[in-house]
Amino acid sequence: MGWKDWHDRLHLLGLVAVLAALGWLLMSGAPGDSGARTGSGVERAMEREMAYQARVAFLEQIYGPVEEMRRQGSHQQALLRLEQLNRQYAGEAHGFILRGLILHELGVLDEAAANFVRGLRINGDYVDERSPLSQRAPIQALVDEGHERLSARARANPDNPSVVAALRNVYYLQSRLAGGCE
């Protein structure tokens, strides 16, 4: 038969065309080459940074009044406003962290630790020293105080599950402060 059959010639022509197109793509620098990837990687990093800054500004705007009430000592009003915001922005870590701060200032260590834990499980930036959202110092203060007070309560009531759970939360916070992750 050989190459005289028109069907074989058509296949050969198609194969040559595909190889030529592939060679042209490789030689001309296809969109997937390293230069394009580097540029898009820089752009993605910049986009992430801008999104993070926008998120921080959004949180300051939304939760700013609550933080101001907390600083002024209006803890009950701050907690009420925080409840409203948590219904509107359910699952937002900042709400749990703020509630933890307020409850710690009120001396309710068990609930403060539980709220810090919930917030950190959603977003670990609150223990990152470089983050503008960092609440590392207040969390460390709760851990220090929690070890002291909750350990004594746990020794006095070893069968009390709420004290054991609160102490477990303090240990979790200590682990996250030390650099541990989930």
Side-chain angles (χ1 to χ4, degrees):
M1 254 201 266
W3 293 105
K4 298 192 191 251
D5 188 1
W6 69 272
H7 195 265
D8 289 337
R9 288 181 188 167
L10 185 64
H11 278 148
L12 182 63
L13 182 65
L15 182 62
V16 168
V18 168
L19 288 175
L22 182 62
W24 178 78
L25 280 175
L26 289 174
M27 297 304 285
S28 68
D33 73 350
S34 62
R37 272 186 256 131
T38 304
S40 65
V42 170
E43 290 172 9
R44 277 191 298 246
M46 216 163 76
E47 287 175 7
R48 273 195 306 271
E49 181 63 28
M50 288 173 50
Y52 187 75
Q53 289 175 1
R55 182 175 184 277
V56 169
F58 172 75
L59 292 174
E60 287 173 355
Q61 178 186 0
I62 297 299
Y63 291 99
V66 175
E67 295 203 40
E68 187 59 36
M69 286 184 242
R70 180 182 72 85
R71 280 189 221 102
Q72 293 174 353
S74 303
H75 294 108
Q76 296 303 325
Q77 288 177 316
L79 285 172
L80 287 173
R81 180 68 180 131
L82 197 53
E83 256 328 292
Q84 293 170 345
L85 288 172
N86 283 345
R87 275 189 237 115
Q88 193 173 3
Y89 302 103
E92 175 55 53
H94 201 72
F96 294 115
I97 298 296
L98 269 176
R99 182 179 292 128
L101 290 169
I102 294 168
L103 292 171
H104 183 226
E105 290 170 0
L106 292 172
V108 187
L109 288 181
D110 305 11
E111 288 299 314
N115 278 281
F116 280 139
V117 167
R118 285 184 74 185
L120 287 176
R121 285 194 170 139
I122 296 170
N123 185 349
D125 288 349
Y126 293 93
V127 292
D128 184 2
E129 290 173 339
R130 296 168 295 179
S131 170
L133 299 173
S134 181
Q135 295 295 326
R136 190 173 183 82
I139 293 172
Q140 182 65 56
L142 181 129
V143 167
D144 295 341
E145 187 179 346
H147 271 299
E148 198 175 299
R149 287 181 39 194
L150 293 173
S151 294
R153 280 179 42 199
R155 281 191 296 273
N157 301 316
D159 296 332
N160 187 339
S162 64
V163 174
V164 172
L167 197 54
R168 196 172 296 133
N169 284 336
V170 169
Y171 290 143
Y172 173 82
L173 293 173
Q174 183 181 28
S175 166
R176 290 302 300 265
L177 287 169
C181 54
E182 278 303 309

